[in-house]
Amino acid sequence: MIGALQKIESGQLGPTILRSIAHTDALNRVRRTLSTSPYNPELWMALALLQVQRDPHDPVVVEALKMAYFVAPNDARLMPVRIDMVAHFDPLALPDVKDLVRNDIRLILIRRSGSRSALVSAYRRASKLGKAFLEDAVESIDPSFLATLRG
């Protein structure tokens, strides 16, 4: 499953049909595993990441992302992935998602300064809406970091 996620993220699955088969297989495995391990935040993130590849507007993406937050709200390992995904694929239209991501950004800027590079990376990959959100969040928490974010 991890190998499939890495290939999906890097876009190295080859022909469309192979990508579709590997993607469907990975998605089915994650769903089966979640049915027996619903408190595993990595599985919820895997479901969100796999589903966003198929359809970024599918409600499953936001619900899986929310579950990853609810199961492990302060998991530092997941913060960069959650921020990147939200900034890149725009589930920012939902106020509760904005609040959850803003909390991740706050924790990184205030308590996990070693993870600030994750914000810069997310900013580089972000959509126009995602960049505006990241700029606003960073400016409200640590305005001195805004130049680094944009640089």
Side-chain angles (χ1 to χ4, degrees):
M1 180 180 70
I2 290 171
L5 282 174
Q6 289 170 340
K7 288 179 182 178
I8 288 167
E9 188 175 62
S10 67
Q12 297 176 353
L13 278 181
T16 305
I17 191 72
L18 292 177
R19 182 175 37 233
S20 178
I21 292 168
H23 186 271
T24 301
D25 183 49
L27 195 56
N28 288 337
R29 285 182 189 202
V30 168
R31 285 185 174 144
R32 276 194 311 270
T33 307
L34 272 170
S35 70
T36 60
S37 301
Y39 300 109
N40 186 323
E42 292 93 352
L43 288 173
W44 287 110
M45 279 307 305
L47 178 60
L49 289 167
L50 286 165
Q51 195 60 41
V52 82
Q53 294 293 322
R54 179 173 278 170
D55 179 6
H57 305 291
D58 190 322
V60 170
V61 174
V62 172
E63 294 308 315
L65 180 64
K66 285 182 187 178
M67 285 302 298
Y69 273 107
F70 295 142
V71 172
N74 297 320
D75 190 331
R77 298 170 304 133
L78 298 179
M79 288 178 190
V81 178
R82 294 188 299 215
I83 293 168
D84 185 73
M85 188 177 121
V86 169
H88 188 70
F89 292 106
D90 291 337
L92 291 166
L94 303 168
D96 49 346
V97 172
K98 277 185 172 179
D99 291 341
L100 293 168
V101 177
R102 192 176 293 272
N103 186 52
D104 275 354
I105 294 168
R106 180 176 289 108
L107 286 172
I108 287 174
L109 290 173
I110 294 172
R111 295 194 182 133
R112 304 196 183 282
S113 59
S115 298
R116 287 180 174 214
S117 63
L119 292 176
V120 174
S121 178
Y123 183 81
R124 287 182 185 145
R125 287 179 26 93
S127 66
K128 193 174 194 177
L129 178 65
K131 285 182 181 186
F133 171 76
L134 287 171
E135 288 175 0
D136 180 59
V138 166
E139 187 173 34
S140 69
I141 299 163
D142 184 359
S144 65
F145 187 68
L146 192 56
T148 305
L149 183 71
R150 291 177 178 154

